[in-house]
Amino acid sequence: MPHPLDAAEVRAWCGLALEALGRDRERIDAINVYPVADGDTGTNLYLTVESAARAVDAAFDGHAASGTEPGLADAIGAMAHGALIGARGNSGTILAQLLRGMTEVLTHAPEAADHGPAAVLARALRRAAASTYEAVAHPVEGTVLTVATAAADAAEGAVPAGDVVAVARAAHEGAREALDATPGQLAVLGRAGVVDAGGCGLVAVLGALADALSGERAAAAGGVRIAVGAPASRGGTEPATVVTEAGGCGTDEHAAADGPAFEVIYLLEADDAAVARLRTRLDGLGDSLVVVGGDGLWNVHVHVDDAGAAVEAGIEAGRPYRIRITHFAGAEAARGAAPERAERAVVAVVPGDGLAGLCAAAGATVVSVRPGEPPASGELVQAIRQAHAREVVLLPNDADLRHTAAAAAGQARTEGVRVAVIPTRAAVQGIAALAVHEAGRTFDEDVVAMTSAAGATRYGELTVAERQSWTMAGVCQAGDVLGLVDGDVAVIGTDPAATALDVLDRMLSAGGEMVTLVCGADFPQGLADRLERHVRERHLAVDTVVYAGGQQSSLLLIGVE
């Protein structure tokens, strides 16, 4: 069923775009060949949209706290602002400008209501495409700029149909057709047999917009011709207050091997006149110059040989911050003065102080999470850095974090860290993996052993329903105790003890040698002893271990190995 272009659909758009880029991140990274194969376009776009999605969620949360609903201008403005402050690389910076261009039109949508929503969306896409040419110092055709323009052309052609969904679908299809033509417009793409990586990401984002407005959840990048024989490399970057890095792979998809030595990125508070002067100065210092933003806040991206001069130019223009300097070569020399890295480390995402303490005692670097606040990929990258090891095993311990963990791993690899993500879907699987971790084994052997231990652990959970809902076990009411097995609701009850016993028996009916119980902050006192006694009496030769997890998100976590 078609949906109106409103705040809710902007939020849905963010979620679908993030899913689409998460699915295709590695494939987009792999076709990044212009002008060299730096392999991080998909990662940069994913991280940029992740920042945009978080900003939209924050806008909804802020309005909910005051008992109001955000409007279209609030949501699209938050999306553009989030993309601006979280933009990564040329691709992410250009996407942020595309969103800002759309925002300039959509924030005034009520005034343009007489033109109809289809015409307003088409105008927004046209403004988005035009704004990217204004932001890039030296536009090149056969890139994301060309794809954005084709999307706007197709959108305008669909306006007579008077349907916002038709306009969005036309923009998506126009972008796909333009993407297929990019190898004929840019020689380096034709020689490699690939389409433009940034344009491929934009097709995914536009597909997500069409799906959000139509109410469908089709694959946002479905049908896109990705590559023929593309190189398989990947990467990414993560901003800090001031970060200086070195890495042979580089962190931007437009860094030429024979070009400038440094990538410089920063946010800048400055007025329009100062930014105009800054553009001229930075254009004389290097290449790949992209300056996006407005209303006093800008994201500046440039490749230069003199990184200090690029930063000084920003200081003269206004107040630069979140300064990032990346050296495209000389990693070993830059790393020489750094402290010696450990050989291997484990990074684990866990809910609850008790679990955090347990994993930390086992030697893991811990990322603690609270209910409803999953970590961003940047937080996982920071934890990998803090582990300070050559090799890192990452345990996300949540099925919903698979794309986030993959993006974080991609970033860390550009910094010289060998990272393996074990697809743990629950904290008890992470505990099982951590229990067999042995740093003395080779990395591959250790990863295989930990993956096998996690995969051999069935997981269950006791939680309380927040609202009436349909489940695999029937309809539950707010306050019901839900027993989940391997992620699906298997039992609906009113008593935590009876529900827990039922879940345990169901899980052990398929066999098992070890039961792990992780008690949440609100788990009834004494119930763990009762469950342990039940296992001992009803299931012979099965051992039980109990931990005080302290998690707020569930009453009890259960693992059966």
Side-chain angles (χ1 to χ4, degrees), residues 207-291:
L209 173 61
D211 288 344
L213 291 173
S214 66
E216 299 175 7
R217 294 182 59 87
V224 177
R225 181 168 65 89
I226 296 289
V228 178
S233 57
R234 62 181 69 89
T237 60
E238 168 64 21
T241 303
V242 179
V243 178
T244 302
E245 293 179 359
C249 292
T251 60
D252 185 69
E253 64 274 18
H254 296 285
D258 58 350
F262 296 96
E263 177 194 56
V264 179
I265 304 174
Y266 49 79
L267 293 178
L268 176 70
E269 293 179 356
D271 59 36
D272 291 2
V275 169
R277 293 191 296 270
L278 176 67
R279 288 179 190 269
T280 301
R281 181 168 178 187
L282 290 180
D283 194 27
L285 288 175
D287 59 28
S288 294
L289 174 61
V290 184
V291 181

Side-chain angles (χ1 to χ4, degrees), residues 39-294:
D40 60 1
T41 298
T43 297
N44 285 340
L45 288 168
Y46 178 88
L47 296 174
T48 301
V49 174
E50 181 183 57
S51 179
R54 281 180 167 268
V56 173
D57 285 342
F60 270 81
D61 291 344
H63 278 270
S66 59
T68 61
E69 292 286 339
L72 173 60
D74 300 315
I76 194 67
M79 186 180 184
H81 180 75
L84 175 68
I85 64 174
R88 307 292 198 274
N90 268 6
S91 56
T93 307
I94 290 171
L95 178 60
Q97 186 65 10
L98 282 162
L99 293 174
R100 179 175 176 81
M102 292 187 69
T103 299
E104 292 175 6
V105 174
L106 294 178
T107 51
H108 301 293
E111 290 91 327
D114 55 321
H115 297 288
V120 171
L121 179 57
R123 286 175 52 198
L125 291 168
R126 173 60 67 194
R127 177 59 195 143
S131 69
T132 61
Y133 283 86
E134 297 167 5
V136 177
H138 301 286
V140 175
E141 296 303 328
T143 64
V144 63
L145 307 185
T146 308
V147 175
T149 300
D153 291 343
E156 289 176 343
V159 168
D163 185 345
V164 69
V165 176
V167 168
R169 287 288 182 214
H172 180 216
E173 186 59 33
R176 290 204 304 179
E177 293 177 0
L179 179 67
D180 284 343
T182 56
Q185 296 171 299
L186 203 55
V188 65
L189 300 179
R191 287 193 299 270
V194 299
V195 295
D196 178 67
C200 186
L202 179 58
V203 169
V205 172
L206 290 174
L209 173 61
D211 288 344
L213 291 173
S214 66
E216 299 175 7
R217 294 182 59 87
V224 177
R225 181 168 65 89
I226 296 289
V228 178
S233 57
R234 62 181 69 89
T237 60
E238 168 64 21
T241 303
V242 179
V243 178
T244 302
E245 293 179 359
C249 292
T251 60
D252 185 69
E253 64 274 18
H254 296 285
D258 58 350
F262 296 96
E263 177 194 56
V264 179
I265 304 174
Y266 49 79
L267 293 178
L268 176 70
E269 293 179 356
D271 59 36
D272 291 2
V275 169
R277 293 191 296 270
L278 176 67
R279 288 179 190 269
T280 301
R281 181 168 178 187
L282 290 180
D283 194 27
L285 288 175
D287 59 28
S288 294
L289 174 61
V290 184
V291 181
V292 305

Side-chain angles (χ1 to χ4, degrees), residues 503-520:
V503 171
L504 266 175
D505 287 339
R506 287 170 182 258
M507 295 180 70
L508 286 169
S509 66
E513 300 176 355
M514 168 74 76
V515 171
T516 300
L517 303 176
V518 182
C519 303

Side-chain angles (χ1 to χ4, degrees), residues 26 124 160 205 296 302 368 386 416 431 455 528 534 539 541 560:
E26 290 190 357
V205 172
V302 67
S368 296
Q386 290 173 353
I431 293 172
H534 175 82
H539 303 278
V560 174

